[in-house]
Amino acid sequence: MAVDERSLWEKIADKLRSRSLWMLHYCTGCGAMELPPTMTSRFDMERFGMGPMATPRQADILFITGYLSAKTLRRVIYTYEKMAEPRYVIGFGSCTLNGGIYYDSYATINRLDYYIPVDLYIAGCMPRPEALLEAFNELMRMIRRGEANGWKKYKENYEWYKQNQIRSLGEVFVHDEFHE
Amino acid sequence: MMNSMSNTVEKLKRIVNNLDITKVDEREIKLELPNEQVLPTLLALKEDGYSHLSLITAVDWIDEGKFELVYILYSWDNGGKFLITTKINRDTPKFVTVKHMWPIARYYERELHEFFGIKFEGNNDMRPLFLEMWDDMPPLRKDFDPFEYSKRKFPDREYQKDVIHEAKIIRGDIDG
Amino acid sequence: MGEVKLFFGPNHPGMHGNFSVHMYVEGDTVEKARPLPGFLHRGFEKLMERRLWYQNLALIPRICVPEPDINEACYAMAVEKIAKIDVPERAQWIRMIVLELARIASHLMSFPGIGGTIGLYTSSFWGVSDRDRILDIFESLTGARVYHMYIIPGGVRKDLTPKIQDLIFNTLNYIEERLGEYETLIFKNRIVHTRLKGIALLDKETALELGVTGVGLRATGVPYDIRKVDSYLFYDKVDFEVPTATEGDAYARVYLKYLEIYQSIKIIRQCLEKMPEGKINVPISEGNALRYRVPKGQAYVHIESTRGEYGYYMVSDGGEKPYRVAVRGASYPQTFIGIEKYLPGTRIEDVPIWLSTMDVCAPEVDR
């Protein structure tokens, strides 16, 4: 979607949004290990106006930290669809880009943007906290410029995404039956 | 071999005939046993101090058509390890459970059923544990190709070749 | 009030890692609990069979995030045991230093875990930023913060230069100084006492029966430590103690971790003193490093990780790739049988305390 299509109010709203981003606290993979240093004293994420958030309803950013097994991907899709718009996705690490070191694994997916739209990727295994902060700043810039439009893409190409999800997962529905 | 370990082996020789012993190192002994002698041996070892079950696992010897079950017992008193192995038929993989001796064995067996397809008599809890909605053969068998499965189920990113960039690398304008 | 079905995790801020527990709850008390693992399953054991001996070095540290070095050491020691290689003495000492540094880092990371569950966030901030000092050592030694790929079969990858030795020495002094402050913050804190003492009890007999190892077992008064009982590397040549407690509750386990940091510091100082000069690695077989062949055989190697017995069972058929590698995650017993047997009866707010002090670690269980 082009930049011009935003109204003045949307531009202002985007500017404000970029200043207060809440990141969903869902550690999907091993990249979650570099999140505590980023959040705490040494790198201090909060100076950029970002903080961790417990529930998807109130979060803006879905942060996919590393590999996703098919089992987790179901929950991630659920979580993503639960989040309020606008919502942004950051793929962290090589495994979300192209499978990384698990390119031939039977349990993990190879490419995240095939299932949910991704606004920004951070390459590397595992990226350093500095790379994370750089990515957050880049995401803020993208939001201000109106380029982080993954959530709109998801609405427009919903059929395509759903079809891809079903191809890989068989069924997106989560069967969390009680393990008697 | 440590003194206390050789004592244990002597004791085992009285229970089990034709003991096939491989000494891996000073504190590690591998015993290959016929199927029916595994449980008595495990019991004897457990009573002799080797009461910590480190691991139950399996090896797929596809050329022989056998699965090799491995029980690793460890003694906290002298630091000795026993690897008790037995081979079972690969076509109808079946063995008896040891969950009454070690509670954790229940989950190891459940895992083996999921990854190798081995059934354990007496352990009926064989629902999938790690994988969800698995639709192929048990993945740790040797004839299962994960790359093939991954290509089929999880599509790769298609990279476009940047010809101009590569030409620049060849010419030496930029470092690849 | 009827029974309520409660799903704890995987997407839950109180959950450690990507792991889930399903519970039936009556009022505030857990009636039934079942673990649901597998969210981090990557099929490591299969992937290792597909890669060359040397290529696996990149794969193994990624099995367990908090403690990559334990995996590297296990893998390297298993290969050496099958191929019957004598590792240079200096490399062994360096390995011990790296493993103990990793233990300190992992223990420091457990303070944030416990701090997050009881709402004492100061310990989270302290633990993580002090752990970063250890990561800085790793960075100058190996070039990476989290996944080092440093311990290779046949030795280690790079030498421990005097400059890094100085860095280690200074960092240890700093951490030792800081530990006094941890004592005042956590272990002399009345809130922590009320919140952790008498919670998540485990007694000696059941711990042994379940096969719980590590701090969980030592907190019940059993001084079992693989470093002492089945000594590997040069742990029999250094002087250290295995701290134990008798209470078997959450407080005892956290306190033992704190005491173990002192022991690790003591071990590293001795290693730095006793380390001889010499070679740091030997080739494990002839020819091209990528095409190494390991002779036929099998071995089980286990070492004491922060959470207990971490083991590799490795089979080689004499080829260029491992025939089978089976990994025993240290927290396997407490994750499965422990949750099933011990969570019923506890209150909901104590469940995260149980999980974090018993060191339930999802990646090493799922593999």
Side-chain angles (χ1 to χ4, degrees):
Chain A
M1 211 170 269
V3 186
D4 313 342
E5 286 178 37
R6 289 188 300 163
S7 70
L8 181 64
W9 288 116
E10 272 173 341
K11 278 181 189 168
I12 295 170
D14 275 348
K15 201 144 208 148
L16 296 176
R17 263 173 208 145
S18 75
R19 294 288 176 189
S20 141
L21 289 171
W22 292 92
M23 183 187 75
L24 180 70
H25 196 288
Y26 183 18
C27 320
T28 54
C30 51
M33 205 58 195
E34 286 291 35
L35 273 181
T38 318
M39 280 190 244
T40 53
S41 336
R42 190 174 183 190
F43 294 97
D44 194 12
M45 194 168 79
E46 266 183 32
R47 65 198 153 117
F48 299 110
M50 297 187 58
M53 173 48 69
T55 60
R57 289 280 186 215
Q58 287 133 337
D60 303 303
I61 302 181
L62 179 59
F63 195 63
I64 307 291
T65 51
Y67 52 80
L68 281 174
S69 63
K71 199 170 181 174
T72 314
L73 182 60
R74 283 192 190 97
R75 276 79 179 171
V76 164
I77 291 167
Y78 257 53
T79 313
Y80 181 71
E81 288 181 353
K82 256 185 203 161
M83 282 165 67
E85 288 169 349
R87 49 197 175 191
Y88 313 103
V89 180
I90 298 183
F92 176 97
S94 311
C95 344
T96 50
L97 263 167
N98 55 9
I101 203 162
Y102 312 112
Y103 71 99
D104 56 349
S105 163
Y106 56 82
T108 62
I109 59 157
N110 286 349
R111 181 186 157 188
L112 179 59
D113 53 15
Y114 195 66
Y115 311 100
I116 52 175
V118 180
D119 294 301
L120 195 66
Y121 276 118
I122 314 174
C125 182
M126 69 180 35
R128 302 171 52 87
E130 288 95 331
L132 249 133
L133 295 179
E134 171 62 26
F136 290 147
N137 276 321
E138 179 62 31
L139 181 72
M140 288 174 196
R141 271 196 291 276
M142 280 170 74
I143 293 171
R144 280 200 287 276
R145 288 199 300 256
E147 288 164 7
N149 287 328
W151 53 284
K152 287 182 191 159
K153 253 193 279 173
Y154 192 69
K155 269 199 284 196
E156 280 161 21
N157 307 320
Y158 187 72
E159 287 304 315
W160 186 74
Y161 282 114
K162 263 283 146 316
Q163 177 201 323
N164 293 344
Q165 289 164 7
I166 285 171
R167 176 185 167 186
S168 287
L169 301 175
E171 191 183 340
V172 187
F173 187 72
V174 177
H175 293 278
D176 266 341
E177 95 285 8
F178 191 75
H179 276 231
E180 290 291 344
Chain B
M1 209 186 293
M2 281 187 310
N3 236 344
S4 52
M5 277 190 100
S6 43
N7 288 345
T8 314
V9 172
E10 286 306 315
K11 261 185 222 165
L12 282 181
K13 273 181 185 160
R14 261 173 269 151
I15 311 171
V16 186
N17 26 2
N18 319 327
L19 209 56
D20 186 357
I21 304 171
T22 323
K23 204 183 113 184
V24 180
D25 79 347
E26 199 60 14
R27 296 198 208 115
E28 189 171 332
I29 291 170
K30 184 185 173 191
L31 307 173
E32 282 179 56
L33 298 172
N35 287 350
E36 64 280 359
Q37 282 174 337
V38 170
L39 275 192
T41 313
L42 287 176
L43 205 62
L45 281 173
K46 193 186 175 191
E47 276 163 14
D48 217 41
Y50 294 84
S51 54
H52 176 71
L53 177 73
S54 282
L55 185 65
I56 303 178
T57 186
V59 185
D60 182 5
W61 297 102
I62 190 165
D63 297 337
E64 287 175 52
K66 300 269 186 195
F67 280 130
E68 185 184 24
L69 279 175
V70 184
Y71 295 82
I72 300 172
L73 297 186
Y74 175 64
S75 163
W76 282 112
D77 303 323
N78 57 26
K81 295 184 281 272
F82 273 100
L83 318 179
I84 292 100
T85 70
T86 185
K87 289 200 171 162
I88 53 172
N89 203 343
R90 201 172 176 280
D91 303 324
T92 50
K94 228 176 167 188
F95 203 65
V96 279
T97 177
V98 292
K99 72 172 184 182
H100 50 281
M101 286 155 75
W102 292 279
I104 187 61
R106 214 173 84 216
Y107 279 95
Y108 282 129
E109 284 165 3
R110 198 165 150 190
E111 192 186 317
L112 284 182
H113 178 258
E114 186 170 12
F115 288 146
F116 286 94
I118 303 172
K119 281 205 175 75
F120 289 88
E121 267 169 47
N123 188 353
N124 298 323
D125 184 15
M126 285 297 165
R127 278 160 305 134
L129 190 63
F130 294 105
L131 301 166
E132 201 178 46
M133 290 154 81
W134 182 251
D135 52 1
D136 212 307
M137 75 168 82
L140 277 182
R141 289 192 179 198
K142 280 278 172 189
D143 43 357
F144 173 74
D145 186 358
F147 194 33
E148 204 60 45
Y149 185 83
S150 173
K151 269 199 280 193
R152 196 174 73 234
K153 289 276 270 208
F154 312 118
D156 266 328
R157 179 179 301 277
E158 282 156 21
Y159 285 102
Q160 277 175 347
K161 213 171 180 183
D162 189 349
V163 186
I164 295 167
H165 183 79
E166 276 185 12
K168 276 182 185 166
I169 294 172
I170 292 166
R171 252 176 45 189
D173 291 355
I174 43 174
D175 281 341
Chain C
M1 215 165 23
E3 256 186 1
V4 178
K5 198 169 163 186
L6 194 68
F7 286 64
F8 181 41
N11 176 8
H12 190 283
M15 186 47 98
H16 293 259
N18 204 345
F19 183 75
S20 178
V21 182
H22 291 181
M23 296 181 280
Y24 271 124
V25 185
E26 178 96 53
D28 265 359
T29 318
V30 179
E31 290 285 305
K32 256 193 265 178
R34 293 288 181 277
L36 183 66
F39 297 105
L40 294 176
H41 182 70
R42 294 141 278 173
F44 263 114
E45 294 177 356
K46 188 75 188 176
L47 295 187
M48 278 198 252
E49 290 169 12
R50 288 174 50 80
R51 295 199 183 14
L52 303 170
W53 288 101
Y54 216 74
Q55 284 178 319
N56 270 328
L57 289 179
L59 205 57
I60 38 161
R62 285 164 173 89
I63 293 183
C64 181
V65 209
E67 289 177 303
D69 303 281
I70 301 287
N71 285 285
E72 292 171 23
C74 268
Y75 179 80
M77 280 158 67
V79 170
E80 285 152 11
K81 200 167 175 182
I82 297 175
K84 300 201 170 48
I85 299 165
D86 286 323
V87 184
E89 219 173 285
R90 187 176 172 83
Q92 304 264 40
W93 288 106
I94 296 178
R95 276 184 191 180
M96 265 170 81
I97 294 173
V98 170
L99 286 181
E100 291 306 314
L101 282 174
R103 190 185 311 278
I104 298 176
S106 179
H107 277 331
L108 284 174
M109 199 62 196
S110 73
F111 294 136
I114 193 69
T117 47
I118 60 176
L120 184 70
Y121 289 103
T122 320
S123 76
S124 313
F125 279 69
W126 285 13
V128 172
S129 45
D130 284 344
R131 172 178 168 270
D132 249 51
R133 304 251 172 168
I134 308 265
L135 296 191
D136 282 351
I137 299 178
F138 280 134
E139 205 178 339
S140 44
L141 179 63
T142 68
R145 269 167 67 87
V146 180
Y147 296 139
H148 312 126
M149 293 167 260
Y150 179 67
I151 300 171
I152 56 172
V156 292
R157 204 153 48 78
K158 271 180 184 169
D159 203 0
L160 196 67
T161 57
K163 211 175 160 188
I164 300 172
Q165 287 182 31
D166 283 349
L167 180 65
I168 294 176
F169 193 76
N170 294 336
T171 312
L172 290 186
N173 286 346
Y174 166 80
I175 285 178
E176 203 173 35
E177 211 176 282
R178 286 282 285 173
L179 282 178
E181 295 179 40
Y182 279 96
E183 168 110 47
T184 10
L185 173 73
I186 303 175
F187 303 109
K188 286 183 184 162
N189 191 334
R190 256 190 67 199
I191 303 168
V192 177
H193 282 221
T194 11
R195 204 65 195 82
L196 294 186
K197 277 199 171 168
I199 304 283
L201 282 167
L202 186 74
D203 64 273
K204 186 177 156 185
E205 284 72 30
T206 25
L208 283 172
E209 192 202 338
L210 296 189
V212 174
T213 49
V215 175
L217 180 63
R218 291 197 286 276
T220 63
V222 192
Y224 287 165
D225 188 319
I226 297 171
R227 288 177 293 175
K228 285 272 187 202
V229 180
D230 185 12
S231 171
Y232 51 96
L233 298 179
F234 288 136
Y235 278 108
D236 47 352
K237 290 190 187 167
V238 291
D239 170 42
F240 69 102
E241 287 154 28
V242 180
T244 53
T246 46
E247 292 88 354
D249 58 358
Y251 182 82
R253 290 195 279 270
V254 180
Y255 195 57
L256 283 189
K257 283 180 188 167
Y258 164 76
L259 292 179
E260 277 189 9
I261 299 180
Y262 279 112
Q263 297 302 325
S264 294
I265 292 175
K266 200 171 155 190
I267 294 173
I268 297 173
R269 283 192 179 139
Q270 291 175 53
C271 290
L272 287 173
E273 256 174 43
K274 291 185 178 173
M275 195 167 59
E277 292 295 318
K279 275 173 79 173
I280 50 161
N281 53 28
V282 288
I284 58 167
S285 103
E286 313 242 308
N288 183 353
L290 277 175
R291 297 278 160 196
Y292 276 159
R293 281 170 187 277
V294 174
K296 232 176 179 175
Q298 73 285 309
Y300 178 70
V301 166
H302 59 175
I303 61 185
E304 180 78 24
S305 78
T306 9
R307 285 176 299 277
E309 182 200 7
Y310 208 105
Y312 269 52
Y313 177 70
M314 192 182 281
V315 183
S316 165
D317 63 343
E320 288 173 344
K321 297 169 183 171
Y323 193 77
R324 167 106 173 94
V325 185
V327 182
R328 181 208 198 262
S331 55
Y332 204 96
Q334 49 262 52
T335 307
F336 289 123
I337 297 287
I339 282 177
E340 216 182 279
K341 215 169 165 176
Y342 277 90
L343 280 192
T346 49
R347 293 166 64 82
I348 304 175
E349 67 263 28
D350 296 342
V351 171
I353 295 181
W354 201 97
L355 294 177
S356 73
T357 57
M358 283 306 279
D359 291 317
V360 170
C361 177
E364 67 180 24
V365 171
D366 291 351
R367 301 185 297 271

